[in-house]
Amino acid sequence: MTDHTAVAAELDAESADWLRALAGTGPQREEALARLHGLLLRIALGEVARRGPRLRLTGPELDDLAYQAAADALVAITSKLGQFRGESRFTTWAYKFVIFEVSAKIGRHFWRHPSVRLDAEGWERLPDQFGFDPAQEAEWRDLLAALHRAVDQELTVRQRRVFVAIVLNNVPLDALVIELASSRNAIYKTLFDARRKLRAALAANGYIGDDGGRCS
Amino acid sequence: MNGWSALDRFLRTDPRDVGCAQAMEMLHIYAELAAAGAPVEERYPGVAAHLRACGPCAEDFEGLLAAVRGKAH
């Protein structure tokens, strides 16, 4: 809310050229579309290569994903040209669409070869998730038992489901968005509220320092 | 980092956090300013707080920043 203060600005010459060409007709528009697609594809290929080492995707799958992301981004951009307000260069605004498309497609791809079941609860993995040393279990056993109780007693059904999927089962947030037919914002907000509740519960019982906040 | 501090960091929430929707809406502005070396964390503290806490949005920001910087080079 308070951050949302950018206002429409005068376009730089390059951005104005892009808008003029893409809003036009005939060969000039076709040339601009082809040029923009080329840029988007280059960004998409770079982005999947950047993320690739952390994904279970191979070369051809990464390339397919990049081509799909560039094509879908081009459609989204041309349908939303009127929303570009000149707050950045046109190309930066356009690149955002293809980055978001790459993220969404990676989230969708997760369920093609899922390594977890959403109804499974990997509580035994929790110490490892946060890096607790097994040799010092006597020091953290009570804390994690209290966390487990708080998850069971303090969270709503939906908050618990999101916590279990993301924290215990390592489901990527964007993949959970697909599975729950939700949005990144809604899932993040659900987890944000769960984190705040869990901290308050642990603080009330003296396990952790007390502070917190709220997310819009 | 030990387990206590990792858990503490995960549970800590920042009241300035604007959430994904607003961060995504502002991301092109934020990334372009960041690429230019502007003090974006001071100018947009709510977006900065969000990017510190949200892995997917932070990943998108890194990707967009790389794209913008690639274009500039």
Side-chain angles (χ1 to χ4, degrees), chain A residues 1 96 100 166 173-174 177 183-192 195 215-216, chain B residues 16-27 46-47 49-51 53-58 60:
Chain A
M1 289 68 59
K96 184 174 77 166
F100 288 166
I166 291 177
L173 194 148
D174 282 334
V177 166
S183 69
R184 185 188 286 183
N185 192 63
I187 298 293
Y188 181 82
K189 176 69 165 59
T190 300
L191 187 61
F192 184 96
R195 289 159 55 206
C215 163
S216 60
Chain B
R16 297 170 300 178
D17 188 333
V18 296
C20 299
Q22 190 171 322
M24 292 166 79
E25 188 181 334
M26 304 282 294
L27 204 61
V47 175
H50 182 71
L51 296 180
C54 179
C57 285
D60 287 347

Side-chain angles (χ1 to χ4, degrees), chain A residues 28-213:
Chain A
Q28 188 185 20
R29 180 172 190 268
E30 294 306 315
E31 187 276 330
L33 285 171
R35 196 155 49 93
L36 181 57
H37 181 262
L39 285 176
L40 296 173
L41 181 58
R42 180 171 63 80
I43 298 302
L45 288 167
E47 184 63 2
V48 297
R50 192 180 72 83
R51 300 189 190 197
R54 286 165 284 150
L55 304 172
R56 291 169 301 167
L57 289 166
T58 58
E61 286 178 305
L62 283 173
D63 287 350
D64 284 350
L65 193 149
Y67 275 88
Q68 290 170 24
D72 290 350
L74 185 65
V75 171
I77 291 163
T78 52
S79 71
K80 293 178 179 174
L81 276 182
Q83 295 177 20
F84 175 63
R85 299 196 300 168
E87 300 149 322
S88 70
R89 289 192 301 262
F90 173 79
T91 46
T92 305
W93 179 76
Y95 292 165
K96 184 174 77 166
F97 284 85
V98 80
I99 297 289
F100 288 166
E101 287 292 341
V102 167
S103 284
K105 284 169 177 32
I106 287 173
R108 201 167 292 126
H109 189 276
F110 177 85
W111 296 110
R112 290 175 63 185
H113 308 286
S115 57
V116 298
R117 292 184 7 245
L118 273 184
D119 57 349
E121 295 195 4
W123 284 101
E124 71 285 355
R125 291 193 294 271
L126 191 62
D128 195 43
Q129 303 282 46
F130 287 104
F132 285 98
D133 183 353
Q136 298 176 328
E137 183 177 353
E139 295 178 15
W140 48 258
R141 187 189 307 121
D142 287 351
L143 169 67
L144 293 195
L147 178 62
H148 195 159
R149 275 197 304 279
V151 168
D152 288 343
Q153 295 171 6
E154 304 292 336
L155 301 188
T156 65
V157 171
R158 187 163 182 90
Q159 287 168 346
R160 191 180 192 288
R161 188 175 187 193
V162 168
F163 178 91
V164 166
I166 291 177
V167 179
L168 298 186
N169 293 341
N170 271 330
V171 176
L173 194 148
D174 282 334
L176 195 59
V177 166
I178 303 293
E179 184 65 17
L180 299 183
S182 183
S183 69
R184 185 188 286 183
N185 192 63
I187 298 293
Y188 181 82
K189 176 69 165 59
T190 300
L191 187 61
F192 184 96
D193 291 341
R195 289 159 55 206
R196 197 165 42 129
K197 278 186 181 180
L198 295 173
R199 167 174 280 283
L202 293 180
N205 290 294
Y207 286 104
I208 205 164
D210 185 15
D211 66 359

